[in-house]
Amino acid sequence: MIEGRTAVVTGGASGLGAAVVRELAALGADVVIADRDLAGAEALAARLAGLPGEVIARHVDIAEDDSVRTLCAELAERECSILVANAGITRVERFVTSDPASWEQLYRVNQRGPMLLAHRLVPGMVERGWGRVVLVSSDGARAGSWGEAVYSATKSALFGFAKSLARETARAGVTVNVVCPGPMRTPMLERVSAESPSLVADLERAIPMRRLGEPEDVAGVIAFLAGDGASYLTGQVVSVSGGITMQ
């Protein structure tokens, strides 16, 4: 049961994050939307006011250590038991012509930010004897993705982190898992496809289910991993991709 527990969802103001917020709040969790877009987070919280769980908005820029520390200090009394590290950014470009100076932002948002949040929130989970950490990576990080070498590198780092943290916290009742969405109909894809008009059609042809994923397709899996039903599942990497990658 996640009813009455507090969840933190980064990048929760839109796209996949918003679907996760809605799913968890519908199940009775109190959800903190942690996002750089505070106005968007507040608007979503207002729209979800009628759900069983309380939804509140908080500002965070997970690329900035001080911002993460401030967020965690603000939430200190809430006993956060669920962390969904969903925020992420990408940049599509050939690796050999990329500027190494541009790699830092992807590293800080996609890799270091989730690690820093876990470093702040997991000790409380361990102390209370219950916790769920779900890291959102990408199937591009598992299989490779043209033009996203740096993005894939930062996102694939979450695999090793999750498995190692899962081993450290398993006896304390804390699980750590990774969800890898395949091609999703999200604002991030819309921004990328605006520069490559044929991208969506090409992706749909490659997916066995012949459609892009919707945020709700992934949100249900994340909600499962955040609940008691997944209490014996930790250190795993789960693809939600319509079959485009299979193991």
Side-chain angles (χ1 to χ4, degrees), residues 207-234:
I207 298 169
M209 290 187 175
R210 289 297 191 270
R211 69 173 178 86
L212 293 178
E214 300 292 342
E216 291 74 18
D217 293 324
V218 183
V221 176
I222 291 175
F224 168 70
L225 292 173
D228 286 337
S231 62
Y232 199 56
L233 198 163
T234 194

PDB file of all heavy atoms in Angstrom, residues 207-234:
ATOM      1  N   ILE A 207       8.608  -0.157 -33.826  1.00  0.00           N
ATOM      2  CA  ILE A 207       8.028  -0.703 -32.596  1.00  0.00           C
ATOM      3  C   ILE A 207       7.058  -1.830 -32.945  1.00  0.00           C
ATOM      4  O   ILE A 207       6.123  -1.615 -33.730  1.00  0.00           O
ATOM      5  CB  ILE A 207       7.295   0.400 -31.799  1.00  0.00           C
ATOM      6  CG1 ILE A 207       8.288   1.494 -31.383  1.00  0.00           C
ATOM      7  CG2 ILE A 207       6.605  -0.180 -30.560  1.00  0.00           C
ATOM      8  CD1 ILE A 207       7.631   2.737 -30.829  1.00  0.00           C
ATOM      9  N   PRO A 208       7.231  -3.028 -32.392  1.00  0.00           N
ATOM     10  CA  PRO A 208       6.313  -4.126 -32.718  1.00  0.00           C
ATOM     11  C   PRO A 208       4.841  -3.784 -32.498  1.00  0.00           C
ATOM     12  O   PRO A 208       3.980  -4.258 -33.242  1.00  0.00           O
ATOM     13  CB  PRO A 208       6.780  -5.251 -31.779  1.00  0.00           C
ATOM     14  CG  PRO A 208       8.242  -5.003 -31.627  1.00  0.00           C
ATOM     15  CD  PRO A 208       8.372  -3.514 -31.570  1.00  0.00           C
ATOM     16  N   MET A 209       4.531  -2.995 -31.491  1.00  0.00           N
ATOM     17  CA  MET A 209       3.133  -2.606 -31.243  1.00  0.00           C
ATOM     18  C   MET A 209       2.662  -1.487 -32.158  1.00  0.00           C
ATOM     19  O   MET A 209       1.485  -1.101 -32.109  1.00  0.00           O
ATOM     20  CB  MET A 209       2.954  -2.207 -29.779  1.00  0.00           C
ATOM     21  CG  MET A 209       3.045  -3.386 -28.833  1.00  0.00           C
ATOM     22  SD  MET A 209       2.615  -2.901 -27.132  1.00  0.00           S
ATOM     23  CE  MET A 209       2.686  -4.526 -26.341  1.00  0.00           C
ATOM     24  N   ARG A 210       3.565  -0.974 -32.972  1.00  0.00           N
ATOM     25  CA  ARG A 210       3.252   0.026 -33.998  1.00  0.00           C
ATOM     26  C   ARG A 210       2.636   1.303 -33.429  1.00  0.00           C
ATOM     27  O   ARG A 210       1.778   1.931 -34.053  1.00  0.00           O
ATOM     28  CB  ARG A 210       2.324  -0.567 -35.072  1.00  0.00           C
ATOM     29  CG  ARG A 210       2.987  -1.586 -35.981  1.00  0.00           C
ATOM     30  CD  ARG A 210       4.119  -0.920 -36.797  1.00  0.00           C
ATOM     31  NE  ARG A 210       4.609  -1.799 -37.847  1.00  0.00           N
ATOM     32  CZ  ARG A 210       5.596  -2.665 -37.704  1.00  0.00           C
ATOM     33  NH1 ARG A 210       6.194  -2.795 -36.536  1.00  0.00           N
ATOM     34  NH2 ARG A 210       5.995  -3.405 -38.714  1.00  0.00           N
ATOM     35  N   ARG A 211       3.074   1.715 -32.254  1.00  0.00           N
ATOM     36  CA  ARG A 211       2.649   3.005 -31.717  1.00  0.00           C
ATOM     37  C   ARG A 211       3.690   3.485 -30.714  1.00  0.00           C
ATOM     38  O   ARG A 211       4.436   2.691 -30.147  1.00  0.00           O
ATOM     39  CB  ARG A 211       1.293   2.910 -31.020  1.00  0.00           C
ATOM     40  CG  ARG A 211       1.284   2.115 -29.708  1.00  0.00           C
ATOM     41  CD  ARG A 211      -0.062   2.225 -29.010  1.00  0.00           C
ATOM     42  NE  ARG A 211      -0.134   1.455 -27.773  1.00  0.00           N
ATOM     43  CZ  ARG A 211       0.250   1.893 -26.576  1.00  0.00           C
ATOM     44  NH1 ARG A 211       0.765   3.110 -26.453  1.00  0.00           N
ATOM     45  NH2 ARG A 211       0.142   1.124 -25.498  1.00  0.00           N
ATOM     46  N   LEU A 212       3.745   4.783 -30.533  1.00  0.00           N
ATOM     47  CA  LEU A 212       4.576   5.334 -29.478  1.00  0.00           C
ATOM     48  C   LEU A 212       3.941   5.040 -28.126  1.00  0.00           C
ATOM     49  O   LEU A 212       2.726   4.861 -28.012  1.00  0.00           O
ATOM     50  CB  LEU A 212       4.708   6.853 -29.648  1.00  0.00           C
ATOM     51  CG  LEU A 212       5.481   7.361 -30.868  1.00  0.00           C
ATOM     52  CD1 LEU A 212       5.452   8.883 -30.887  1.00  0.00           C
ATOM     53  CD2 LEU A 212       6.913   6.858 -30.863  1.00  0.00           C
ATOM     54  N   GLY A 213       4.762   4.995 -27.107  1.00  0.00           N
ATOM     55  CA  GLY A 213       4.234   4.842 -25.766  1.00  0.00           C
ATOM     56  C   GLY A 213       3.589   6.129 -25.284  1.00  0.00           C
ATOM     57  O   GLY A 213       3.967   7.225 -25.715  1.00  0.00           O
ATOM     58  N   GLU A 214       2.634   6.000 -24.400  1.00  0.00           N
ATOM     59  CA  GLU A 214       2.027   7.143 -23.741  1.00  0.00           C
ATOM     60  C   GLU A 214       2.551   7.208 -22.310  1.00  0.00           C
ATOM     61  O   GLU A 214       2.927   6.178 -21.732  1.00  0.00           O
ATOM     62  CB  GLU A 214       0.505   7.014 -23.732  1.00  0.00           C
ATOM     63  CG  GLU A 214      -0.130   6.937 -25.114  1.00  0.00           C
ATOM     64  CD  GLU A 214      -0.023   8.238 -25.893  1.00  0.00           C
ATOM     65  OE1 GLU A 214       0.224   9.288 -25.259  1.00  0.00           O
ATOM     66  OE2 GLU A 214      -0.156   8.209 -27.131  1.00  0.00           O
ATOM     67  N   PRO A 215       2.600   8.388 -21.720  1.00  0.00           N
ATOM     68  CA  PRO A 215       3.088   8.494 -20.339  1.00  0.00           C
ATOM     69  C   PRO A 215       2.399   7.530 -19.381  1.00  0.00           C
ATOM     70  O   PRO A 215       3.041   6.974 -18.485  1.00  0.00           O
ATOM     71  CB  PRO A 215       2.804   9.952 -19.984  1.00  0.00           C
ATOM     72  CG  PRO A 215       2.910  10.669 -21.296  1.00  0.00           C
ATOM     73  CD  PRO A 215       2.319   9.714 -22.299  1.00  0.00           C
ATOM     74  N   GLU A 216       1.116   7.293 -19.582  1.00  0.00           N
ATOM     75  CA  GLU A 216       0.374   6.396 -18.691  1.00  0.00           C
ATOM     76  C   GLU A 216       0.865   4.954 -18.771  1.00  0.00           C
ATOM     77  O   GLU A 216       0.736   4.195 -17.808  1.00  0.00           O
ATOM     78  CB  GLU A 216      -1.122   6.464 -19.020  1.00  0.00           C
ATOM     79  CG  GLU A 216      -1.798   7.782 -18.671  1.00  0.00           C
ATOM     80  CD  GLU A 216      -1.445   8.919 -19.625  1.00  0.00           C
ATOM     81  OE1 GLU A 216      -0.947   8.641 -20.746  1.00  0.00           O
ATOM     82  OE2 GLU A 216      -1.655  10.092 -19.244  1.00  0.00           O
ATOM     83  N   ASP A 217       1.437   4.571 -19.913  1.00  0.00           N
ATOM     84  CA  ASP A 217       1.968   3.213 -20.057  1.00  0.00           C
ATOM     85  C   ASP A 217       3.101   2.963 -19.066  1.00  0.00           C
ATOM     86  O   ASP A 217       3.274   1.848 -18.558  1.00  0.00           O
ATOM     87  CB  ASP A 217       2.497   2.996 -21.486  1.00  0.00           C
ATOM     88  CG  ASP A 217       1.403   3.002 -22.534  1.00  0.00           C
ATOM     89  OD1 ASP A 217       0.304   2.505 -22.245  1.00  0.00           O
ATOM     90  OD2 ASP A 217       1.655   3.500 -23.644  1.00  0.00           O
ATOM     91  N   VAL A 218       3.877   3.989 -18.806  1.00  0.00           N
ATOM     92  CA  VAL A 218       5.016   3.866 -17.903  1.00  0.00           C
ATOM     93  C   VAL A 218       4.613   4.160 -16.464  1.00  0.00           C
ATOM     94  O   VAL A 218       5.123   3.552 -15.523  1.00  0.00           O
ATOM     95  CB  VAL A 218       6.161   4.798 -18.343  1.00  0.00           C
ATOM     96  CG1 VAL A 218       7.379   4.615 -17.444  1.00  0.00           C
ATOM     97  CG2 VAL A 218       6.541   4.526 -19.790  1.00  0.00           C
ATOM     98  N   ALA A 219       3.687   5.092 -16.287  1.00  0.00           N
ATOM     99  CA  ALA A 219       3.281   5.493 -14.940  1.00  0.00           C
ATOM    100  C   ALA A 219       2.744   4.318 -14.142  1.00  0.00           C
ATOM    101  O   ALA A 219       3.005   4.196 -12.940  1.00  0.00           O
ATOM    102  CB  ALA A 219       2.233   6.605 -15.018  1.00  0.00           C
ATOM    103  N   GLY A 220       2.003   3.421 -14.797  1.00  0.00           N
ATOM    104  CA  GLY A 220       1.465   2.261 -14.089  1.00  0.00           C
ATOM    105  C   GLY A 220       2.560   1.328 -13.603  1.00  0.00           C
ATOM    106  O   GLY A 220       2.462   0.753 -12.505  1.00  0.00           O
ATOM    107  N   VAL A 221       3.611   1.177 -14.395  1.00  0.00           N
ATOM    108  CA  VAL A 221       4.729   0.327 -13.988  1.00  0.00           C
ATOM    109  C   VAL A 221       5.467   0.956 -12.801  1.00  0.00           C
ATOM    110  O   VAL A 221       5.833   0.274 -11.834  1.00  0.00           O
ATOM    111  CB  VAL A 221       5.702   0.112 -15.172  1.00  0.00           C
ATOM    112  CG1 VAL A 221       6.924  -0.688 -14.728  1.00  0.00           C
ATOM    113  CG2 VAL A 221       4.986  -0.605 -16.310  1.00  0.00           C
ATOM    114  N   ILE A 222       5.665   2.252 -12.860  1.00  0.00           N
ATOM    115  CA  ILE A 222       6.334   2.939 -11.760  1.00  0.00           C
ATOM    116  C   ILE A 222       5.510   2.846 -10.483  1.00  0.00           C
ATOM    117  O   ILE A 222       6.050   2.615  -9.388  1.00  0.00           O
ATOM    118  CB  ILE A 222       6.618   4.407 -12.140  1.00  0.00           C
ATOM    119  CG1 ILE A 222       7.684   4.454 -13.236  1.00  0.00           C
ATOM    120  CG2 ILE A 222       7.049   5.219 -10.919  1.00  0.00           C
ATOM    121  CD1 ILE A 222       7.961   5.839 -13.780  1.00  0.00           C
ATOM    122  N   ALA A 223       4.201   3.001 -10.599  1.00  0.00           N
ATOM    123  CA  ALA A 223       3.330   2.890  -9.416  1.00  0.00           C
ATOM    124  C   ALA A 223       3.425   1.493  -8.816  1.00  0.00           C
ATOM    125  O   ALA A 223       3.426   1.330  -7.586  1.00  0.00           O
ATOM    126  CB  ALA A 223       1.892   3.221  -9.794  1.00  0.00           C
ATOM    127  N   PHE A 224       3.500   0.475  -9.657  1.00  0.00           N
ATOM    128  CA  PHE A 224       3.664  -0.892  -9.148  1.00  0.00           C
ATOM    129  C   PHE A 224       4.969  -1.028  -8.376  1.00  0.00           C
ATOM    130  O   PHE A 224       4.999  -1.573  -7.266  1.00  0.00           O
ATOM    131  CB  PHE A 224       3.629  -1.887 -10.306  1.00  0.00           C
ATOM    132  CG  PHE A 224       4.074  -3.278  -9.924  1.00  0.00           C
ATOM    133  CD1 PHE A 224       3.293  -4.070  -9.104  1.00  0.00           C
ATOM    134  CD2 PHE A 224       5.292  -3.774 -10.377  1.00  0.00           C
ATOM    135  CE1 PHE A 224       3.723  -5.353  -8.739  1.00  0.00           C
ATOM    136  CE2 PHE A 224       5.722  -5.046 -10.022  1.00  0.00           C
ATOM    137  CZ  PHE A 224       4.928  -5.840  -9.190  1.00  0.00           C
ATOM    138  N   LEU A 225       6.058  -0.526  -8.950  1.00  0.00           N
ATOM    139  CA  LEU A 225       7.353  -0.627  -8.291  1.00  0.00           C
ATOM    140  C   LEU A 225       7.392   0.170  -6.989  1.00  0.00           C
ATOM    141  O   LEU A 225       8.192  -0.125  -6.095  1.00  0.00           O
ATOM    142  CB  LEU A 225       8.455  -0.135  -9.226  1.00  0.00           C
ATOM    143  CG  LEU A 225       8.720  -0.994 -10.463  1.00  0.00           C
ATOM    144  CD1 LEU A 225       9.712  -0.296 -11.393  1.00  0.00           C
ATOM    145  CD2 LEU A 225       9.230  -2.381 -10.080  1.00  0.00           C
ATOM    146  N   ALA A 226       6.528   1.170  -6.874  1.00  0.00           N
ATOM    147  CA  ALA A 226       6.490   2.005  -5.674  1.00  0.00           C
ATOM    148  C   ALA A 226       5.636   1.408  -4.564  1.00  0.00           C
ATOM    149  O   ALA A 226       5.609   1.950  -3.453  1.00  0.00           O
ATOM    150  CB  ALA A 226       5.963   3.399  -6.028  1.00  0.00           C
ATOM    151  N   GLY A 227       4.960   0.313  -4.823  1.00  0.00           N
ATOM    152  CA  GLY A 227       4.032  -0.244  -3.853  1.00  0.00           C
ATOM    153  C   GLY A 227       4.517  -1.524  -3.202  1.00  0.00           C
ATOM    154  O   GLY A 227       5.615  -2.018  -3.456  1.00  0.00           O
ATOM    155  N   ASP A 228       3.658  -2.084  -2.364  1.00  0.00           N
ATOM    156  CA  ASP A 228       4.003  -3.303  -1.641  1.00  0.00           C
ATOM    157  C   ASP A 228       4.057  -4.522  -2.556  1.00  0.00           C
ATOM    158  O   ASP A 228       4.730  -5.501  -2.239  1.00  0.00           O
ATOM    159  CB  ASP A 228       2.980  -3.560  -0.527  1.00  0.00           C
ATOM    160  CG  ASP A 228       3.174  -2.608   0.650  1.00  0.00           C
ATOM    161  OD1 ASP A 228       4.295  -2.094   0.810  1.00  0.00           O
ATOM    162  OD2 ASP A 228       2.212  -2.367   1.388  1.00  0.00           O
ATOM    163  N   GLY A 229       3.354  -4.476  -3.671  1.00  0.00           N
ATOM    164  CA  GLY A 229       3.341  -5.616  -4.581  1.00  0.00           C
ATOM    165  C   GLY A 229       4.690  -5.918  -5.180  1.00  0.00           C
ATOM    166  O   GLY A 229       4.933  -7.023  -5.667  1.00  0.00           O
ATOM    167  N   ALA A 230       5.601  -4.936  -5.146  1.00  0.00           N
ATOM    168  CA  ALA A 230       6.944  -5.128  -5.704  1.00  0.00           C
ATOM    169  C   ALA A 230       7.988  -5.242  -4.601  1.00  0.00           C
ATOM    170  O   ALA A 230       9.172  -4.962  -4.826  1.00  0.00           O
ATOM    171  CB  ALA A 230       7.288  -3.961  -6.632  1.00  0.00           C
ATOM    172  N   SER A 231       7.571  -5.677  -3.420  1.00  0.00           N
ATOM    173  CA  SER A 231       8.484  -5.697  -2.271  1.00  0.00           C
ATOM    174  C   SER A 231       9.633  -6.694  -2.434  1.00  0.00           C
ATOM    175  O   SER A 231      10.652  -6.584  -1.752  1.00  0.00           O
ATOM    176  CB  SER A 231       7.716  -6.012  -0.987  1.00  0.00           C
ATOM    177  OG  SER A 231       7.124  -7.301  -1.067  1.00  0.00           O
ATOM    178  N   TYR A 232       9.497  -7.674  -3.329  1.00  0.00           N
ATOM    179  CA  TYR A 232      10.544  -8.678  -3.533  1.00  0.00           C
ATOM    180  C   TYR A 232      11.271  -8.445  -4.858  1.00  0.00           C
ATOM    181  O   TYR A 232      11.914  -9.333  -5.392  1.00  0.00           O
ATOM    182  CB  TYR A 232       9.927 -10.079  -3.498  1.00  0.00           C
ATOM    183  CG  TYR A 232      10.919 -11.194  -3.236  1.00  0.00           C
ATOM    184  CD1 TYR A 232      11.729 -11.193  -2.107  1.00  0.00           C
ATOM    185  CD2 TYR A 232      11.040 -12.263  -4.121  1.00  0.00           C
ATOM    186  CE1 TYR A 232      12.627 -12.218  -1.864  1.00  0.00           C
ATOM    187  CE2 TYR A 232      11.934 -13.303  -3.886  1.00  0.00           C
ATOM    188  CZ  TYR A 232      12.727 -13.269  -2.758  1.00  0.00           C
ATOM    189  OH  TYR A 232      13.627 -14.286  -2.520  1.00  0.00           O
ATOM    190  N   LEU A 233      11.174  -7.234  -5.366  1.00  0.00           N
ATOM    191  CA  LEU A 233      11.754  -6.898  -6.660  1.00  0.00           C
ATOM    192  C   LEU A 233      12.700  -5.717  -6.454  1.00  0.00           C
ATOM    193  O   LEU A 233      12.255  -4.608  -6.142  1.00  0.00           O
ATOM    194  CB  LEU A 233      10.631  -6.537  -7.638  1.00  0.00           C
ATOM    195  CG  LEU A 233      10.916  -6.547  -9.145  1.00  0.00           C
ATOM    196  CD1 LEU A 233       9.598  -6.572  -9.913  1.00  0.00           C
ATOM    197  CD2 LEU A 233      11.734  -5.354  -9.583  1.00  0.00           C
ATOM    198  N   THR A 234      13.978  -5.945  -6.588  1.00  0.00           N
ATOM    199  CA  THR A 234      14.938  -4.858  -6.418  1.00  0.00           C
ATOM    200  C   THR A 234      16.166  -5.085  -7.292  1.00  0.00           C
ATOM    201  O   THR A 234      16.483  -6.218  -7.672  1.00  0.00           O
ATOM    202  CB  THR A 234      15.342  -4.709  -4.931  1.00  0.00           C
ATOM    203  OG1 THR A 234      16.010  -3.453  -4.751  1.00  0.00           O
ATOM    204  CG2 THR A 234      16.247  -5.838  -4.461  1.00  0.00           C
TER     205      THR A 234
END
